[in-house]
Amino acid sequence: MWKSVFYKEWLKIRWFIVVYTLLGILVIGYIFLALKHNFAFTGGKNAWNAALFQGHQFYSHFKFMPLSGGLTIAVAQYLPETINKRLQLTFHLPLAENKVMLLMQAFGAGSLLISFLIFGGLFTGFSLIYFPIQMVADSLTTILPWLLAGLAANFILAQIILEPNRIFRFFYSLLGGFFLTIYFASSGSATYAPANTGLFFLTAMLSIVFVFSAYRLRKGGI
């Protein structure tokens, strides 16, 4: 039965995740074309000096790419279910209601993770052409909270969309917006490294909060 749930989710998000992944690849391509231009016309020494001592992040155009992906997949997954009231039909499947919801969430988050892994692999491979491994590691440490923000945004928006009560939706929107700002609080290279473990735990906790909204939706918004 879980295969049927995954197939249903794939039908909903397949074009969104494919287009999003292609756009992300294009953004990464643009970043490294610009970097290649800088190396060619200003010299590698100046580029290294900007990255090491001036805090320049040549990958800053990627900053909100994971966030946009998380929001897009959440809308693609859950908005049609609530508008057409199809989610109530899903609750009649021969699976525990919470298990169905967790499977849906796992598929969306897993699809995002695959895209993020593709982005991370391309970014790492191209970065190693221009910078030593320590500088690349620092860059990945800086990007990690942005990737986690994409997952967190997906979880938060799922909760907001599924919530049947307008007051609760407004409250979740404010609280969710606050949580998301945490992922972008630091702009310096690798300066957020000590907080990354905490961000992992925060993201993990956010991954299950949508169950409360789903429960209220099943019970008619009580």
Side-chain angles (χ1 to χ4, degrees):
M1 184 56 67
W2 62 269
K3 293 182 180 179
S4 299
V5 175
F6 281 178
Y7 181 66
K8 178 173 71 73
E9 297 307 301
W10 169 246
L11 291 178
K12 288 191 295 184
I13 73 168
R14 63 189 187 281
W15 293 117
F16 292 94
I17 195 67
V18 169
V19 172
Y20 167 70
T21 303
L22 291 176
L23 286 175
I25 292 172
L26 288 176
V27 169
I28 291 173
Y30 170 79
I31 288 171
F32 284 98
L33 283 175
L35 183 64
K36 181 179 179 180
H37 177 273
N38 288 339
F39 266 73
F41 289 94
T42 65
K45 182 178 180 180
N46 290 331
W48 277 42
N49 181 68
L52 284 172
F53 303 112
Q54 299 177 16
H56 174 67
Q57 295 176 346
F58 67 91
Y59 45 85
S60 60
H61 288 91
F62 184 74
K63 187 170 187 176
F64 296 105
M65 195 70 198
L67 179 67
S68 64
L71 296 175
T72 299
I73 298 305
V75 170
Q77 269 193 286
Y78 298 106
L79 193 60
E81 299 278 6
T82 55
I83 290 178
N84 300 325
K85 297 184 178 180
R86 296 189 312 210
L87 198 58
Q88 282 78 356
L89 297 176
T90 303
F91 293 148
H92 290 87
L93 293 174
L95 282 174
E97 294 171 342
N98 284 339
K99 186 175 182 179
V100 171
M101 297 304 301
L102 289 172
L103 286 173
M104 292 172 62
Q105 186 76 293
F107 187 85
S111 300
L112 282 172
L113 279 174
I114 291 173
S115 294
F116 292 170
L117 287 173
I118 292 173
F119 300 158
L122 290 173
F123 179 85
T124 302
F126 285 122
S127 295
L128 288 172
I129 297 174
Y130 299 99
F131 301 106
I133 189 168
Q134 184 56 53
M135 292 179 67
V136 175
D138 288 345
S139 298
L140 291 173
T141 302
T142 305
I143 289 174
L144 180 59
W146 305 346
L147 298 175
L148 292 175
L151 293 174
N154 180 264
F155 303 146
I156 291 169
L157 188 56
Q159 183 185 23
I160 294 170
I161 293 174
L162 292 173
E163 176 55 51
N165 185 287
R166 292 181 180 179
I167 296 176
F168 277 63
R169 282 203 301 267
F170 178 74
F171 172 74
Y172 292 153
S173 298
L174 292 179
L175 194 60
F178 167 75
F179 279 129
L180 289 178
T181 60
I182 297 174
Y183 292 88
F184 300 100
S186 176
S187 59
S189 180
T191 56
Y192 224 28
N196 280 346
T197 301
L199 292 179
F200 268 113
F201 283 109
L202 175 61
T203 307
M205 289 188 292
L206 290 173
S207 68
I208 60 171
V209 295
F210 79 105
V211 173
F212 297 105
S213 291
Y215 173 80
R216 289 169 48 76
L217 183 65
R218 296 199 305 267
K219 301 303 180 181
I222 61 172

